[in-house]
Amino acid sequence: MSFRNVNPAKVATIKHINNLITCLVNIRDETGEFLMPLADGRIIDTKGWEDWEWTHGVGLYGLLKFHEITGDQRALDIALKWFKDRFEIGTTKNVNTMSPLLTAAYLHEKGVADYFVHLDSWAEWVMYDMPRTEEGGLQHITYLTDNYQQLWDDTLMMSVLPLAKIGLVLNRPHYVEEAKRQFILHIKYLQDLQTGLWFHETTLLPGWTFDGRHHFGKVRWGRGNCWVTVAIPDFIELLGLPETDGVRKFLTTSLVAQIDALVKYQDTQTGLWHTLIDDPSSYLEASATAGFAYGISKALRLRLIPREEHYVDTARKAMKGVLANISEEGELKQTSFGTPVFHDAEQYKEIPLTTMPYGQSLALLALTEHLKTFI
């Protein structure tokens, strides 16, 4: 059977997405350099698909979005199998391991699985047992460290979005109100008033600590910033906040300030952003670009930013930059490895480039949104 009215751009994009998924679930750590040994003897695989970390949460969310707009059964089956295998084993609760519960809440809502006991347990932990900073911020506790009194921007993506969705699914409005407060609090302390970009240092060096009340290196790191560009449009859409809503207006002004800065700093030749956004001597990086492509495109679709030429061009160039860095095997190239503790900007420039699950996941999200916004 042949079809004359076929959209070649859509066909090509879906092919890229399927290749990204194949690569995502088949990435292996062949050398052991990506393993995370814990003090209790456990070893967390930060690269493979068979573990439980924030990387898997973002990947699951991308699979969900792809399934929602295409009905792709493979994407749904991969997600359901991941949850079946992981929930049977369990893991330690922290900011990052909360991430998969966002997709779990959607799947529970759809009725394709019953995750009530898990949604209830994890959300109650975030609400009442997760360590807090001054002013009640969610302290960015991870497998390796408690990060005492520290706020990180990726907490919004990894823990606050899941909390909000679970609040809606389980009809617990106090979860939703707490999620709103967390967004406002993180904007208060992490967004740079001068540039509109966000402070977020490395994996272990945060944007703000109440212990001394200061930002650390004031480094405007690309992938750290992209979580905000992803999370704010998703949060507004998730809650269905109307244009007149005060929280929506506040979040939107924050997002616009960041996107305006991103427009300014985008590399005009490649469509990518530098790993240090405002430092052109740092290398161009694709995983952060994928997050920016997703968030800016979604902001356009939701009319959080006007459909003006400079915004549309930025989103399109970013998507092209992502596509240009996807190999035939579905690997997102030009992706920086996870960042250890760094105390100055120069060390960011030395982080090696390697295929990582978060790159795959962010590219999956970006191309899925591309199908909605531009194709």
Side-chain angles (χ1 to χ4, degrees):
M1 183 181 295
S2 62
F3 299 92
R4 294 181 178 179
N5 190 24
V6 172
N7 185 335
K10 183 173 183 179
V11 172
T13 300
I14 290 176
K15 181 180 178 180
H16 278 301
I17 290 172
N18 279 310
N19 288 342
L20 284 165
I21 292 172
T22 298
C23 184
L24 171 65
V25 302
N26 287 289
I27 291 178
R28 295 289 182 269
D29 181 359
E30 304 294 344
T31 65
E33 63 183 308
F34 307 106
L35 299 179
M36 181 195 301
L38 304 184
D40 60 9
R42 285 178 298 161
I43 297 178
I44 307 301
D45 183 355
T46 63
K47 188 155 187 166
W49 183 244
E50 305 301 326
D51 220 312
W52 186 328
E53 250 287 30
W54 65 269
T55 291
H56 307 92
V58 179
L60 291 162
Y61 191 47
L63 292 170
L64 171 77
K65 293 296 184 183
F66 183 49
H67 171 73
E68 283 182 341
I69 69 169
T70 66
D72 186 272
Q73 188 63 36
R74 175 189 178 224
L76 177 62
D77 290 343
I78 291 171
L80 290 172
K81 183 180 186 305
W82 189 93
F83 281 111
K84 180 179 183 300
D85 294 342
R86 301 284 78 71
F87 281 149
E88 287 179 354
I89 300 171
T91 192
T92 302
K93 291 182 174 69
N94 61 51
V95 163
N96 291 332
T97 54
M98 179 68 181
S99 177
L101 276 295
L102 175 59
T103 299
Y106 275 98
L107 296 178
H108 181 86
E109 182 181 46
K110 292 175 180 295
V112 296
D114 183 357
Y115 296 142
F116 174 83
V117 65
H118 304 290
L119 300 178
D120 174 68
S121 172
W122 282 78
E124 286 288 287
W125 175 78
V126 172
M127 282 293 296
Y128 302 112
D129 297 317
M130 181 184 281
R132 300 285 176 129
T133 67
E134 292 181 28
E135 301 186 29
L138 295 180
Q139 181 174 302
H140 197 87
I141 180 173
T142 67
Y143 276 125
L144 294 176
T145 178
D146 288 344
N147 293 314
Y148 178 69
Q149 289 294 311
Q150 294 174 10
L151 295 178
W152 294 19
D153 52 12
D154 41 344
T155 300
L156 298 176
M157 180 73 189
M158 308 311 169
S159 285
V160 180
L161 279 180
L163 179 67
K165 182 60 181 179
I166 295 171
L168 294 176
V169 172
L170 300 187
N171 192 26
R172 297 178 183 176
H174 56 296
Y175 290 179
V176 176
E177 293 307 309
E178 176 62 13
K180 291 178 182 178
R181 194 178 73 85
Q182 290 298 326
F183 265 86
I184 293 170
L185 184 65
H186 280 69
I187 290 172
K188 175 181 178 181
Y189 283 106
L190 293 179
Q191 188 162 27
D192 178 17
L193 297 178
Q194 184 176 16
T195 65
L197 298 172
W198 285 54
F199 294 120
H200 184 298
E201 315 302 339
T202 67
T203 313
L204 299 180
L205 192 58
W208 173 264
T209 176
F210 285 95
D211 186 18
R213 299 185 70 85
H214 63 87
H215 293 104
F216 282 71
K218 293 190 176 182
V219 176
R220 300 170 186 93
W221 179 42
R223 196 161 57 240
N225 264 264
C226 88
W227 298 123
V228 177
T229 327
V230 171
I232 290 180
D234 278 13
F235 189 64
I236 290 171
E237 181 184 54
L238 178 67
L239 298 187
L241 299 176
E243 292 184 14
T244 56
D245 182 87
V247 173
R248 170 176 167 145
K249 289 183 176 180
F250 180 77
L251 295 178
T252 300
T253 57
S254 171
L255 180 66
V256 170
Q258 189 204 37
I259 291 176
D260 284 344
L262 292 174
V263 171
K264 174 183 175 182
Y265 289 113
Q266 185 181 34
D267 182 67
T268 56
Q269 292 187 332
T270 65
L272 303 179
W273 279 269
H274 294 271
T275 195
L276 300 181
I277 297 174
D278 53 353
D279 184 352
S281 68
S282 64
Y283 59 72
L284 296 166
E285 208 276 334
S287 70
T289 297
F292 296 141
Y294 174 86
I296 297 171
S297 297
K298 190 161 190 173
L300 285 166
R301 179 167 59 81
L302 298 181
R303 295 178 173 81
L304 301 177
I305 55 177
R307 205 171 179 86
E308 296 175 357
E309 184 176 357
H310 64 295
Y311 290 135
V312 174
D313 285 349
T314 298
R316 288 187 181 277
K317 288 177 182 176
M319 288 293 181
K320 288 181 180 178
V322 172
L323 286 167
N325 280 281
I326 299 175
S327 73
E328 292 184 4
E329 296 75 27
E331 295 183 21
L332 182 68
K333 304 293 187 179
Q334 205 63 25
T335 296
S336 65
F337 181 51
T339 47
V341 177
F342 291 143
H343 299 285
D344 63 75
E346 289 303 312
Q347 291 176 283
Y348 280 88
K349 303 174 186 179
E350 299 173 4
I351 300 171
L353 296 166
T354 184
T355 304
M356 290 297 290
Y358 46 74
Q360 302 297 121
S361 302
L362 284 164
L364 173 57
L365 279 173
L367 295 192
T368 300
E369 182 59 36
H370 185 56
L371 288 174
K372 281 187 173 183
T373 304
F374 292 115
I375 298 180

